[in-house]
Amino acid sequence: MTSQPQPSQPNGSIEHFDVLIIGAGVSGMYAIHHFREMGLSVRAYDGASDVGGTWWYNRYPGARVDGPGSPFYCYTFSEELMQEWDWEETQSEWSAVLAYIEHVADKFDLRRDIQFETWVEDASYDEATQRWILQTSDGQRASARYLICAVGALSTTNKPDIPGIDDFTGETYHTGQWPHEPVSFAGKRVAVIGTGSSGIQAMPEIAKEADHVTVLQRTAQFAFPAANRAITKEEMADARANWEATKAKMLANPGGFPFDVHERTAADATPEEREAFYEELWQRGSFKFFLDLYTDIAMSEEANDSLADFVRKKIREIVKDPETADKLMPDHYVITKRPILENGYFEAYNRDNVSLVDLREDPIERFTETSVITQSGEHPIDVLVLATGFDAISGSMLRLNPQGRGGVRLKERWTDRFHNYLGLTIRGFPNLFMIHGPGSPGVFYNMPLGAERQMSWIGDFVRHLEKHGYAAAEPTTDSEEAWGNEVTGMASFTLFPKTDSWWTGANVPGKPRYFSVYLGGSIYYERLAGVASENYPGFDFEPDRQGGH
Ligand code: NA7
C-alpha cells in the first residue's frame, strides 16, 4: 500500500482524507473499519445523531428484523463480536438491533471518524486533482480520492402526494422517520396508509392502544406467520461453537444465511403434497418459509398460483368478517413483492377498533385539517401514519445526486436506467463506490454480510489502483451495458418483473420501471471474485497526475 494514514489536516477550509464515506448505517460503519484496517484515513458523515442508519430511523411500533434473523443478521468480520453478543429473539426488535450496532461502534471506536447531524449537500469529482470534494451542511469541505456511498437501500422515504395531505393538522408520522420521543395512540383515531412490511408490523401494535385504526390499503398483501421466538441458550452456544462452519455456509448460501439449499419443485409434487408442505411451512413460520419453499414458485405461474391460493385460504380462515376478508385478497403473484412476515396482522381485523378501506374501490380524494376523505365518505382522524415505504435501492443515490466528470450529475445519467457496473461503480463517477446499490444483490441478501463482501472487493480494488499508480478508475460504457443486461436477464426468468413493487420502482411515480436487483447473491460474489482475479476487466484506469494522494 503506498498510502499512509493521514490524520485530518485542515488546509484552508478543506480537510483531506483517503476515503470519504456517506452514511453511518450498517454498511458505512463497516467501511470505516475496513479502510482503517488498510491503513487509510477516513471520515464518515451521517445526518442522524448516532450510528444505525435505517435502524436509527425505523423505530415504529412492531419494527423488527424480519429476514432469517438473529443471530445471523450480523457482522461476520470479528469472531470476538460473535462470541460476546447475546441475541434474545429470532426476529430482534429494532431496539435490540440498534443496541448491537451501538456496541459495534463502541468496540471498534467508530464514532471518532463519524461526523453526525451532518448532511452531505454536494459531492463533486474534481478532475484536476482526481479527488472527490464534499460540501456538508455545517459549511465545511472535505476531499478524498475514494468515495463510498453507503447511503442505504431503504432510507429515502416515499411520501404520497395526496391532495391536502399537508393541511392535516393532527400528528403525522412516517414509519421510516419515526420520532425518538414516545408516541401515544391512546384514545386516538389513527389512519394507516400502507400495507407493506412496515404497515403490517405496525398496525396490530397501534390497534392495541388506539381508539380506532383505519387501514387505507392500495394493494392487498400476502403475509406469512412471523413465528418470532426466544433464542435458546443452546442455540446461541451452538452458533458460537460452530462459527467457522456457520460462516462458510453463509458465504455459500444464495441469500447469505447458514441454511442448506434444496432443489424441490412444486411441479414435482401432487396437489395434496403441496398443500401438506405449505401447511407445514405455515405452521413453522418465519423467513425460512421462503428459503425452504419450492424453487419454482417465483418462476412458474402454476406453482405460484398453488401457494397464492393456499395463503388466500388462510387469510379467509383468520379474518372473521367475509367482506373484510374479500378486501384482503391479494391478486398479484405471491412473493413477487417483498415477502412480509406478520405478528397478528390478519387477526387484528377481528378487533372492533380496526377497519379497512380498499383504496382501489374507494380511493382517497383528499385530506382536510381533521380527516381523510375517501370516495365513500369522511373519516375523522387524530393521527396519520404513513407506512408508504421508500424510494428504494436507487433513491438515496439520486438524492445525493453526485457530480461526476464534465459536471454531469447522476440524475442526468440515470434517466432511463440505473447504469452501473458490478452494482458498485458508475461510468463518469471515478472511484465512487455504492454499497447495496442497484445492480447488486442488496436487499436480496443478508445486508451486513453483503456490505462486508462488497467492501472487501472495493478494498482489493483500491490496493490494485495504488499498486499500479492509478489515481482513478471507472467502468466502460460496454461493461455497464453488459452488466445491466445480466441483471435484467436473470430477472427475466422469474415472475418478479411482472409485479408492481419497490423492487421494480413502481411505487415511486416517474421512476425507471425495471427490476434492478442482481438475483442469485452467491453468483454475484463469484462474479466479483472473477473480475478481481482477471485484473479488473471492464474498467478504464487513469494514471496519477498529482504524484500521490
Ligand atoms: P413498502 O413495502 O414499499 O410498502 C409501502 C406501502 O405503502 C405499500 O402498501 C404501498 O402500496 C403503500 N403506498 C405507497 N404509496 C401509496 C399511496 N400514494 N397511496 C396508498 N398507498 C400507498 O414499504 P415498507 O416500509 O412497508 O417496507 C419496505 C421494506 O423495509 C420491506 O420490504 C422490508 O425489506 C423492510 P403498493 O403496494 O405500492 O400499492
Side-chain angles (χ1 to χ4, degrees), residues 34-268:
H34 192 79
F35 282 119
R36 271 192 198 160
E37 293 284 290
M38 285 174 62
L40 298 178
S41 65
V42 297
R43 161 70 62 80
Y45 298 94
D46 200 294
S49 59
D50 206 347
V51 290
T54 292
W55 290 107
W56 192 86
Y57 286 101
N58 284 261
R59 44 184 77 210
Y60 57 85
R64 287 180 182 278
V65 173
D66 67 351
S70 316
F72 306 116
Y73 177 85
C74 65
Y75 293 112
T76 66
F77 68 90
S78 161
E79 165 137 22
E80 204 179 286
L81 188 58
M82 175 64 187
Q83 294 297 339
E84 73 195 5
W85 191 259
D86 279 326
W87 293 99
E88 290 181 359
E89 292 179 297
T90 54
Q91 291 158 47
S92 304
E93 215 181 347
W94 65 268
S95 52
V97 180
L98 213 45
Y100 168 76
I101 289 171
E102 286 169 3
H103 171 72
V104 175
D106 290 341
K107 184 177 174 71
F108 298 96
D109 191 17
L110 299 180
R111 290 188 184 87
R112 78 177 144 90
D113 286 323
I114 307 172
Q115 195 173 313
F116 291 110
E117 296 180 2
T118 307
W119 282 97
V120 174
E121 294 191 330
D122 188 58
S124 295
Y125 186 67
D126 180 36
E127 293 180 59
T129 57
Q130 299 168 294
R131 293 174 74 83
W132 281 93
I133 298 176
L134 302 192
Q135 257 173 333
T136 50
S137 52
D138 60 349
Q140 303 295 308
R141 290 195 306 149
S143 93
R145 179 154 281 179
Y146 306 105
L147 178 63
I148 303 294
C149 298
V151 290
L154 295 162
S155 59
T156 299
T157 52
N158 175 36
K159 188 180 165 196
D161 184 15
I162 299 171
I165 195 163
D166 293 327
D167 299 337
F168 177 63
T169 54
E171 301 160 64
T172 301
Y173 305 107
H174 194 293
T175 47
Q177 283 179 324
W178 202 259
H180 285 221
E181 305 73 43
V183 174
S184 169
F185 294 100
K188 294 178 186 165
R189 297 159 302 177
V190 184
V192 178
I193 304 186
T195 50
S197 303
S198 305
I200 284 181
Q201 284 185 332
M203 186 278 267
E205 297 302 315
I206 296 171
K208 285 179 192 163
E209 206 188 325
D211 179 51
H212 192 87
V213 178
T214 305
V215 178
L216 299 160
Q217 168 194 276
R218 183 163 76 180
T219 305
Q221 276 278 16
F222 296 97
F224 300 77
N228 178 41
R229 60 172 179 79
I231 296 180
T232 63
K233 282 198 164 43
E234 293 70 32
E235 279 173 307
M236 262 328 290
D238 188 52
R240 285 179 175 139
N242 298 304
W243 181 231
E244 280 312 314
T246 302
K247 208 165 124 179
K249 242 181 174 179
M250 287 165 81
L251 294 175
N253 179 273
F257 291 97
F259 302 121
D260 294 324
V261 177
H262 61 81
E263 285 301 329
R264 65 181 85 84
T265 63
D268 289 336

Side-chain angles (χ1 to χ4, degrees), residues 323-368:
E323 238 180 81
T324 304
D326 276 347
K327 292 182 197 166
L328 287 168
M329 287 304 119
D331 59 7
H332 51 277
Y333 294 115
V334 62
I335 78 165
T336 56
K337 281 163 105 72
R338 164 60 156 80
I340 295 175
L341 295 185
E342 57 90 26
N343 289 288
Y345 173 72
F346 294 117
E347 280 89 349
Y349 287 102
N350 296 332
R351 299 175 67 107
D352 293 338
N353 68 336
V354 176
S355 54
L356 177 64
V357 176
D358 178 357
L359 298 179
R360 290 194 185 171
E361 58 183 41
D362 186 11
I364 299 176
E365 291 185 343
R366 64 191 166 92
F367 279 84
T368 70

